[in-house]
Amino acid sequence: DIQMTQSPSSLSASVGDRVTITCRASQSISSYLNWYQQKPGKAPKLLIYAASSLQSGVPSRFSGSGSGTDFTLTISSLQPEDFATYYCQQSYSTPGTFGPGTKVDIK
Amino acid sequence: EVQLVESGGGLVQPGGSLRLSCAASGFTFSSYEMNWVRQAPGKGLEWVSYISSSGSTIYYADSVKGRFTISRDNAKNSLYLQMNSLRAEDTAVYYCARESTGYSYGSPLNYFDYWGQGTLVTVSS
């Protein structure tokens, strides 16, 4: 199975900050990488698919980049509603493993 | 509006069984692949099972293989997960998720674009 890691595991930031989360795959997955946001008690929500494609309805302050084994999710200007946990997921092979998550909370 | 509504969760003893359902609406259910994903309390997301649009192709996570069975009824717009021989480590919120396909440089890539609200399964004596 492909293993996914994320860093950091948590971070504290302020509204307006630029936030970057990194995801790394244990082998090359080309651009088969998705990002999800999850708020407490809620289902995950798709933000980015194919490493850099913004899902319809997702604010443009979210962006994704990378290919191969290293990927990045960037929030250009953190908003109050962005405090949540973020997960990457590879869809290169079954099982579609998720990263352990990065919790973004208020500084 | 796309909606996925899970049901069937609850408290069950170790070794017991439970059947989860996911009712789909707002899209052509028979055209989409579907998945079950679970989340243990305070933990991350774990993919559980996949079923193709016709039901002809099925995959399971190693952790549930031989114990769980995924199925679907396209006439009823419903997805199911039959869970047998349940263990304490199966305790989790179970989500059904629709799988869609996008394209990058002509290559298809899949992602989970809609999720249900989840149903809690607790395995405990």
Side-chain angles (χ1 to χ4, degrees):
Chain A
D1 295 359
I2 298 175
Q3 307 303 315
M4 307 299 293
T5 58
Q6 289 181 233
S7 62
S9 57
S10 65
L11 66 91
S12 295
S14 301
V15 172
D17 284 353
R18 181 181 182 88
V19 170
T20 299
I21 298 169
T22 297
C23 175
R24 177 165 289 174
S26 60
Q27 65 182 74
S28 178
I29 58 170
S30 185
S31 296
Y32 291 76
L33 193 282
N34 308 315
W35 289 98
Y36 301 88
Q37 175 195 66
Q38 188 180 34
K39 298 180 180 179
K42 300 295 186 182
K45 172 188 173 183
L46 176 68
L47 298 177
I48 302 280
Y49 64 93
S52 60
S53 296
L54 194 67
Q55 171 68 350
S56 176
V58 174
S60 59
R61 62 180 180 272
F62 291 93
S63 64
S65 64
S67 66
T69 60
D70 295 316
F71 302 87
T72 299
L73 173 70
T74 300
I75 309 172
S76 60
S77 178
L78 198 65
Q79 297 302 300
E81 60 268 29
D82 301 337
F83 292 97
T85 299
Y86 294 85
Y87 295 92
C88 61
Q89 181 216 14
Q90 64 83 15
S91 59
Y92 181 83
S93 65
T94 301
T97 40
F98 291 88
T102 295
K103 185 176 181 180
V104 177
D105 60 23
I106 301 172
K107 192 172 191 178
Chain B
E1 179 194 5
V2 172
Q3 281 199 317
L4 297 169
V5 180
E6 302 95 336
S7 60
L11 175 63
V12 61
Q13 292 187 338
S17 298
L18 215 52
R19 188 194 196 206
L20 306 184
S21 299
C22 171
S25 61
F27 66 102
T28 305
F29 180 72
S30 60
S31 297
Y32 285 86
E33 301 153 319
M34 297 295 296
N35 293 264
W36 288 98
V37 178
R38 69 183 180 183
Q39 187 170 37
K43 302 296 184 182
L45 301 169
E46 179 190 15
W47 171 82
V48 172
S49 185
Y50 157 95
I51 188 168
S52 62
S53 57
S54 66
S56 60
T57 301
I58 285 172
Y59 301 117
Y60 297 101
D62 287 345
S63 57
V64 307
K65 201 173 294 183
R67 300 187 299 121
F68 289 12
T69 302
I70 191 172
S71 62
R72 65 190 295 160
D73 186 335
N74 286 341
K76 295 184 177 180
N77 293 334
S78 293
L79 175 72
Y80 306 101
L81 187 68
Q82 177 67 43
M83 304 186 296
N84 298 332
S85 303
L86 282 162
R87 306 166 180 167
E89 54 265 36
D90 295 319
T91 294
V93 174
Y94 285 72
Y95 297 100
C96 61
R98 188 181 85 167
E99 185 166 328
S100 286
T101 301
Y103 290 87
S104 177
Y105 302 104
S107 297
L109 305 97
N110 294 342
Y111 47 87
F112 300 162
D113 60 348
Y114 285 95
W115 299 62
Q117 86 288 351
T119 187
L120 175 63
V121 173
T122 303
V123 184
S124 174
S125 54

